[in-house]
Amino acid sequence: MAVKTSDFPAKQKQFNEDLSKGSFKSCYLIYGDEAYLRLQNRDKIVKALGGSESSMNFNRYEGDNINPLEVIDMAETMPFLSDKRTILVENSGFFKSGCPELSEYLKASSESTIIIFVEKEVDKRKDIYKTVSKVGFEIDCSTQDDEMLKRWIASRFSNEGKKISPRAQAVLLDRVGADMSNLATEIEKLVCYCIDRNEITEEDITAVCANYLTSRIFDMTDAISSQNQRRAIELYYDLLALKEPPAKILALITRQFNIMLQIKEMTENRRDKAQMASAVKIAPFLVGKYQTWARNFSFDQLRQALELCASNDEAVKTGKLDYIISVEMVIIGCTSIGKAE
């Protein structure tokens, strides 16, 4: 399940209404790990303010080497033949490390300047965050929960004259993941694929959409079985970057080892591939892949891997471990088990 952001709809609605009315605050903070929402809202407010790279009244600063005094100096510069100057500050790190100069300035900033901050991460204990929250407007663009994403998916298709069932929405999320940029790309592909039809089906999704999650889980299993710990960890953090919850990743790793154990047992008992595929509910062509992985482990090692998954899951649920760290420990542990003799 993705991160719950229950106040986002109200904040987004207020943000949109303020922009449509031309009712602007002195400063804005757009933050969160969902890049799609961050950039959409950034572009929306810059456009509403008439900002562009060619405008004499638009200034952009980016990176962690920004001099706050330079930003303040520009903010105090009167706009040219306009009522407002717009300053965009991106990925500054001010909201993680703190910035007392800007924090103090924003309490009584120039009325002719609007400053927009766009950051991936913030520390809400910092004075600059507290100042913007008090005198300006902040919107948290974090990963949305599944229900919010389903509504957004339905809305995107509706705008294109298409319908999608709740079940098909779930299939799309399961296949693509929660990253809205990836979802937007796959939605565009589906709209083009179904140009002559008004409903998106599960079959359409399977035929058209890239399987971001499954492909990486298979690559990760490959890396673990070949004891390539570094590659397995890289793939894990790729999945985290795609907004996949650690709990879901751990469940999928557990499933992979469970299937390997069953395939190994059935191979020993000389079951044919069709029987094996039916028993573990996988496509017949995948049986050989699982047999290859299983050969790198003994029965005891596969059971040890499953016990490691279960114990780390229990440690998280009892508050002894953080989920992100626990999955990393599982990957390290499983790659360290070693190949069967």
Side-chain angles (χ1 to χ4, degrees):
M1 181 65 70
V3 177
K4 184 74 173 178
T5 53
S6 57
D7 66 336
F8 175 78
K11 282 276 191 177
Q12 185 70 66
K13 183 180 179 182
Q14 182 184 341
F15 182 75
N16 292 341
E17 288 178 352
D18 287 350
L19 296 193
S20 65
K21 294 175 186 174
S23 175
F24 300 111
K25 303 288 187 182
S26 61
C27 57
Y28 290 83
L29 169 61
I30 302 168
Y31 71 97
D33 59 5
E34 181 48 78
Y36 181 89
L37 289 177
R38 280 202 323 272
L39 300 183
Q40 286 276 310
N41 283 319
R42 176 202 68 184
D43 294 345
K44 195 179 293 182
I45 187 170
V46 168
K47 183 179 179 181
L49 289 165
S52 69
E53 295 292 340
S54 61
S55 171
M56 295 182 67
N57 297 310
F58 177 77
N59 305 93
R60 183 171 180 264
Y61 300 87
E62 184 175 13
D64 55 10
N65 292 317
I66 300 169
N67 182 346
L69 297 180
E70 184 180 336
V71 176
I72 292 170
D73 186 52
M74 183 57 68
E76 285 293 297
T77 303
M78 291 296 294
F80 181 73
L81 299 177
S82 176
D83 294 332
K84 296 290 182 183
R85 174 177 296 281
T86 302
I87 296 179
L88 176 62
V89 180
E90 294 189 89
N91 307 314
S92 66
F94 291 153
F95 289 82
K96 283 193 72 182
S97 58
C99 184
E101 299 94 339
L102 273 169
S103 177
E104 192 61 31
Y105 174 73
L106 291 171
K107 293 174 184 176
S109 61
S110 169
E111 293 183 0
S112 62
T113 297
I114 294 174
I115 304 179
I116 306 160
F117 297 98
V118 181
E119 305 285 337
K120 182 177 180 180
E121 297 176 280
V122 303
D123 184 340
K124 295 184 179 181
R125 298 170 297 179
K126 299 300 181 183
D127 286 345
I128 188 169
Y129 175 85
K130 294 176 182 177
T131 299
V132 173
S133 297
K134 184 176 180 180
V135 305
F137 185 89
E138 47 92 14
I139 181 168
D140 182 355
C141 298
S142 294
T143 304
Q144 301 299 291
D145 63 32
D146 286 354
E147 289 309 309
M148 177 65 69
L149 287 171
K150 286 176 183 177
R151 289 196 292 274
W152 177 74
I153 289 167
S155 174
R156 287 293 296 260
F157 280 120
S158 178
N159 291 340
E160 299 291 341
K162 309 287 184 188
K163 295 186 295 184
I164 183 169
S165 69
R167 183 177 175 83
Q169 291 169 19
V171 170
L172 181 60
L173 280 172
D174 189 58
R175 190 171 182 84
V176 177
D179 185 282
M180 293 176 75
S181 295
N182 291 336
L183 283 167
T185 298
E186 299 305 321
I187 287 169
E188 287 180 16
K189 286 161 62 176
L190 284 164
V191 168
C192 294
Y193 183 74
C194 304
I195 195 164
D196 296 325
R197 291 184 281 117
N198 65 359
E199 184 165 4
I200 308 297
T201 67
E202 296 167 48
E203 290 75 20
D204 296 328
I205 294 166
T206 302
V208 172
C209 297
N211 199 330
Y212 292 85
L213 178 58
T214 300
S215 64
R216 280 173 172 79
I217 287 294
F218 270 67
D219 289 344
M220 185 189 295
T221 306
D222 223 7
I224 291 171
S225 69
S226 60
Q227 296 178 291
N228 189 342
Q229 188 178 107
R230 181 176 178 178
R231 176 61 177 155
I233 293 294
E234 285 176 354
L235 287 161
Y236 172 48
Y237 278 92
D238 281 351
L239 286 168
L240 292 180
L242 288 170
K243 317 297 190 305
E244 290 300 336
K248 184 176 182 180
I249 297 170
L250 180 56
L252 290 168
I253 293 172
T254 305
R255 179 177 182 272
Q256 293 293 83
F257 274 99
N258 190 34
I259 291 175
M260 273 191 267
L261 179 59
Q262 293 180 69
I263 291 289
K264 193 173 185 71
E265 288 173 342
M266 287 187 282
T267 301
E268 290 278 308
N269 293 326
R270 300 185 182 281
R271 301 274 291 276
D272 64 44
K273 288 189 176 182
Q275 289 176 314
M276 288 189 251
S278 177
V280 296
K281 295 181 173 58
I282 61 172
F285 71 88
L286 289 175
V287 171
K289 189 72 171 171
Y290 281 98
Q291 286 176 318
T292 300
W293 288 333
R295 277 196 290 270
N296 288 329
F297 301 93
S298 67
F299 283 109
D300 284 344
Q301 287 168 340
L302 288 171
R303 294 189 187 100
Q304 185 182 339
L306 286 168
E307 288 170 5
L308 181 62
C309 291
S311 63
N312 275 270
D313 186 50
E314 178 66 23
V316 171
K317 290 174 179 174
T318 55
K320 296 176 183 176
L321 271 180
D322 170 79
Y323 239 134
I324 292 178
I325 299 300
S326 73
V327 178
E328 190 169 318
M329 289 173 64
V330 165
I331 293 169
I332 292 169
C334 289
T335 53
S336 301
I337 286 173
K339 294 185 179 181
E341 296 294 334

